């Protein structure tokens, strides 16, 4: 059980970026329309091609609206930390609201069947069935992108050379986070660094640049980063996180979990009970 809880708390930000959320919204809605229209499942093969495309297009639109509602209304309110457990909950919410949309369209818009609990549950089941096809494909696509991102040359990920060209700073103001790859490290200002979190055999370095929050993966371990950089630049706050204490603006407790607010929108960092004492001097 402890290993499962640790796995569920592992950082995973597939739905963090608004751009990526829009990509998922249009991609999944479009795939739903294509799948229903092409294969005619769920009795849509009864209709001629033109009418089938029109009807399934409405279902695809309803799917897109449900996705946008969850991604841009519910997610910012309910999920402040991006890890595997919250990603699973977001996916379940997505499937539930898509099922609600399908039930409303079936009963109220097209009047295929009168609205009832049976119809509602049937639409949830159909949505869940289709979700078992779409969700693994979407996650697989993200994993392929992530692996390409991890193995890309450093010049494609704003690495040391590009970072140093943008900023002329003294040695005392600059940090260099090394990578096991020859050109995979990152050079940035100490004040730009937000936090570092573990990501399998990599670490995910989060930093602020030009009013935006960015992050990049480098081949290293959290313990090695802690040894090489260390306090006071980076402070251990969680078994999977090191945070720049100079960027912490406030400490807050929600549902028994302590989080550090870094003053960058919805970017927050969890704090384990073991390390809470290190941040008690910071007022909520």
């Amino acid at each position: 059980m402890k290993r499962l809880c640790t796995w569920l708390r592992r950082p995973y930000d597939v739905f963090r970026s608004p751009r990526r959320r829009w990509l998922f919204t249009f991609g999944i809605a479009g795939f739903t329309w294509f799948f229903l229209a092409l294969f005619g499942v769920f009795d849509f093969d009864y209709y001629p091609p033109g009418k089938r495309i029109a009807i399934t297009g409405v279902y695809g639109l309803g799917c897109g609206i449900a996705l946008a509602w969850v991604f841009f209304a519910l997610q910012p309110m309910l999920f402040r930390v991006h890890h595997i457990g919250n990603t699973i909950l977001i996916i379940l919410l997505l499937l539930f609201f898509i099922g609600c949309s399908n039930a409303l369209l079936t009963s109220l818009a097209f009047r295929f069947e009168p609205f009832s609990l049976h119809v509602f549950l049937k639409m949830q089941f159909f949505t869940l069935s289709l979700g078992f096809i779409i969700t693994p494909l979407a996650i697989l696509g993200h994993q392929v992108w992530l692996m390409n991102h991890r193995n890309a040359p450093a010049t494609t990920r704003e690495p040391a050379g590009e970072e140093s060209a943008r900023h002329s700073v003294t040695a005392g103001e600059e940090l260099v986070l090394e990578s096991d790859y020859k050109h995979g490290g990152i050079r940035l200002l100490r004040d730009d660094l937000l936090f570092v979190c573990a990501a399998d055999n990599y670490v995910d370095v989060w930093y602020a640049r030009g009013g935006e929050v960015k992050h990049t993966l480098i081949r290293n371990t959290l313990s090695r980063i802690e040894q090489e950089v260390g306090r006071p630049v980076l402070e251990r706050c969680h078994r999977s996180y090191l945070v720049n204490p100079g960027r912490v603006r406030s400490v807050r407790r929600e549902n028994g979990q302590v989080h550090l607010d870094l003053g960058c929108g919805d970017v927050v960092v969890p704090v384990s009970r073991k390390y809470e004492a290190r941040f008690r001097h910071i007022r909520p």
Side-chain angles (χ1 to χ4, degrees), residues 22 32 43 91 94 103 172 177 270:
W22 280 120
T32 300
D43 295 329
I91 291 174
L94 290 171
L177 303 183

Side-chain angles (χ1 to χ4, degrees), residues 160-233:
E162 189 173 340
E163 295 290 345
S164 58
R166 294 183 180 184
H167 298 275
S168 178
V169 297
T170 64
E173 296 176 306
E174 195 174 54
L175 290 175
V176 178
L177 303 183
E178 301 290 350
S179 170
D180 289 344
Y181 294 137
K182 184 177 180 181
H183 300 293
I186 182 171
R187 189 185 304 270
L188 70 165
L189 298 179
R190 169 177 171 173
D191 289 342
D192 287 344
L193 179 62
L194 297 175
F195 66 92
V196 182
C197 61
D200 293 330
N201 296 323
Y202 295 76
V203 293
D204 205 354
V205 181
W206 291 71
Y207 57 99
R209 179 60 47 78
E212 297 182 2
V213 176
K214 303 180 179 181
H215 68 114
T216 187
L217 289 162
I218 63 174
R219 179 81 177 194
N220 209 326
T221 65
L222 205 63
S223 58
R224 190 186 304 170
I225 293 291
E226 186 176 22
Q227 292 174 0
E228 294 174 352
V229 179
R231 303 169 70 178
V233 178

